[in-house]
Amino acid sequence: MTATSGDAPVKRERAASSGVVIVAALVGIYMLSQFFRNALGVIGPDLAKAFDLDAARLGLLSSIFFLSFALAQIPLGMAIDRWGPRPAMLATAALMIGSTVLFALSRNYAELAAARMLMGLGCCSFLMAPLALYAERFPPEKFSTITGIHIGGGSFGMLAATAPLAWLAGAVGWRNSFLTAASCATVAMACVFLFVRETPDTLARRRARSESFSQAFSGVIAATRAAGFWRVFFVQAAAYSAFASVIGLWVGPWLSQVYSLPLEARGRMTLILACAQIAGLFFWGASDRWFASYLRPALISIALALATLATGALFVLPAAALPVFMAAFGFSFAATPVLTAHGKSLFPRELTGRGITLINTGTIGGAFAQQFFTGFVIEAFGYRMVDGARVYPPESFRLVFGLLGLQLAIAAAFYLRAPDRHPDRI
């Protein structure tokens, strides 16, 4: 055996180990993004009481995170394609840490909203930049699975925003809870700095195709013209915004005001939802390989999600049924990996960063629009004061479930004719 052939297994082993370390570091920082976007689902009622917030202002406070996050996606995609995912993540991570401290120290609603907006900017890169890196490092047939691992692993941050956050907020208060999160974010940023690297081939290709700003922006326009772009764009926006509106904002008030559940009980219920979501992310992330299709498993997941929303809209659920409802909701809304892989398959390599961030603009922008809009829907029903807090009627939350289901059904009908370019079908 020659030295060259003997070195090959060692090189493959080192590459595999390097890949595991990189994925672990990227999953770690994505956990923070998931934590921050969903934290108000548990502590929202406490913030509303502390700052005297009605449903509309609470909806704006949560949704402004998604607005700034969405607005950052197009320049983020250009930056990823031009300078690479690592610089983008390090720059935004510093902003995430600072905004978290600002949120913890806020004295009024304006400061809370400003911190929440900066937090959205700070978290804007922790899904798209890793996906661009995975697209370079892994073959296309494994992209959905790796995406599922990233989103599923990162969603442990969503899990941390349920019962653990409820326990911590009850023990040390929500302000100290966010200061603790800022410390965790600092550790995560250090891991990205130390362990995340691109391959030499990727760096060489980026330098070779160095684009001007006008060329980079032309690539954004080109990505929107890819066949099937708008079909995937709208279904991603509808599916994620429905999920984010519930777990990221209204699940806490719904459980508190309709079922009179205290903070720790709300945390347990959302923990069930988060655990089911994580299981679903790993399940749906691998499902495209079973079907040799992106479209089929995504439609099955959407059908289940529509059934869950219809149940919440049409029936007054008994308290004993809540754990089952939470599990079904979390699992059925977990097709993000296969939908993301479907979107990525539409673009050539040089447009990957811009393409997937454009789709994410709709996804996160949809979450902003729905959280903001549903806040006004609930507020329109009026409220009564109970122990210094606003309480809205059950019908207001049921209407929210119905409206979210309607938008998802319309988007799914549009999605039916999206091109399915799964590598196993080509």
Side-chain angles (χ1 to χ4, degrees):
M1 179 180 292
T2 66
T4 302
S5 61
D7 288 344
V10 176
K11 290 180 179 179
R12 286 195 295 268
E13 184 177 346
R14 288 176 179 172
S17 299
S18 175
V20 170
V21 171
I22 288 173
V23 171
L26 295 175
V27 166
I29 201 162
Y30 184 56
M31 287 175 62
L32 275 300
S33 177
Q34 287 285 358
F35 174 85
F36 291 130
R37 73 177 67 180
N38 293 301
L40 267 61
V42 167
I43 66 170
D46 302 284
L47 288 177
K49 188 173 182 179
F51 291 91
D52 191 26
L53 308 181
D54 58 24
R57 288 203 295 166
L58 183 61
L60 177 60
L61 180 63
S62 181
S63 67
I64 200 170
F65 174 101
F66 296 98
L67 174 62
S68 60
F69 195 118
L71 292 175
Q73 291 304 296
I74 290 177
L76 172 65
M78 295 167 64
I80 289 172
D81 283 338
R82 184 167 185 179
W83 291 296
R86 183 174 179 268
M89 284 187 285
L90 292 175
T92 57
L95 183 57
M96 173 183 66
I97 295 165
S99 62
T100 304
V101 174
L102 178 61
F103 189 87
L105 301 178
S106 294
R107 297 162 296 179
N108 52 54
Y109 180 76
E111 292 180 2
L112 278 176
R116 184 79 175 156
M117 180 186 69
L118 293 174
M119 202 179 293
L121 291 174
C123 294
C124 73
S125 69
F126 304 141
L127 176 58
M128 294 297 104
L131 293 189
L133 194 148
Y134 298 152
E136 293 284 353
R137 294 187 69 97
F138 297 98
E141 61 270 17
K142 292 185 178 180
F143 183 79
S144 180
T145 301
I146 296 298
T147 300
I149 291 171
H150 183 83
I151 300 177
S155 291
F156 280 96
M158 173 181 61
L159 187 149
T162 61
L165 175 59
W167 173 82
L168 187 62
V172 301
W174 65 268
R175 294 182 185 274
N176 287 326
S177 299
F178 272 77
L179 290 175
T180 302
S183 300
C184 295
T186 303
V187 173
M189 178 182 176
C191 289
V192 171
F193 177 79
L194 292 172
F195 302 120
V196 174
R197 294 289 188 275
E198 293 185 90
T199 64
D201 289 346
T202 301
L203 293 171
R205 279 196 300 269
R206 183 174 295 112
R207 285 193 294 267
R209 69 168 188 256
S210 181
E211 297 177 316
S212 66
F213 178 81
S214 62
Q215 290 172 324
F217 188 75
S218 295
V220 173
I221 303 302
T224 66
R225 295 173 178 167
F229 170 83
W230 293 108
R231 297 179 187 277
V232 176
F233 178 94
F234 284 119
V235 80
Q236 270 274 55
Y240 183 74
S241 65
F243 176 75
S245 293
V246 174
I247 191 172
L249 180 58
W250 299 122
V251 68
W254 180 55
L255 294 173
S256 173
Q257 297 173 24
V258 177
Y259 296 96
S260 301
L261 297 187
L263 177 62
E264 291 187 2
R266 296 197 305 267
R268 288 193 296 271
M269 285 297 170
T270 50
L271 178 63
I272 293 172
L273 193 160
C275 288
Q277 165 84 177
I278 292 169
L281 288 167
F282 285 105
F283 175 85
W284 296 112
S287 64
D288 70 300
R289 301 174 76 176
W290 309 331
F291 290 90
S293 167
Y294 298 122
L295 188 65
R296 292 175 189 171
L299 288 173
I300 293 171
S301 170
I302 290 168
L304 294 173
L306 286 171
T308 308
L309 288 170
T311 300
L314 299 175
F315 303 101
V316 179
L317 298 171
L322 286 176
V324 176
F325 179 81
M326 291 292 176
F329 192 94
F331 184 82
S332 63
F333 274 95
T336 302
V338 72
L339 285 170
T340 301
H342 194 176
K344 179 257 180 187
S345 72
L346 304 177
F347 309 109
R349 172 179 286 179
E350 64 272 15
L351 295 180
T352 296
R354 280 161 287 191
I356 60 178
T357 51
L358 272 170
I359 290 178
N360 204 42
T361 301
T363 303
I364 302 300
F368 158 73
Q370 287 300 343
Q371 289 193 352
F372 187 55
F373 171 69
T374 52
F376 283 100
V377 169
I378 291 175
E379 187 66 27
F381 278 80
Y383 60 86
R384 55 192 175 89
M385 298 297 295
V386 178
D387 296 329
R390 292 175 169 84
V391 175
Y392 297 88
E395 293 78 14
S396 62
F397 297 102
R398 289 173 60 191
L399 180 58
V400 166
F401 282 120
L403 291 173
L404 295 175
L406 177 62
Q407 69 156 20
L408 181 56
I410 294 171
F414 188 52
Y415 176 62
L416 281 170
R417 298 183 63 185
D420 193 353
R421 297 173 182 165
H422 194 277
D424 291 343
R425 298 170 65 93
I426 299 174

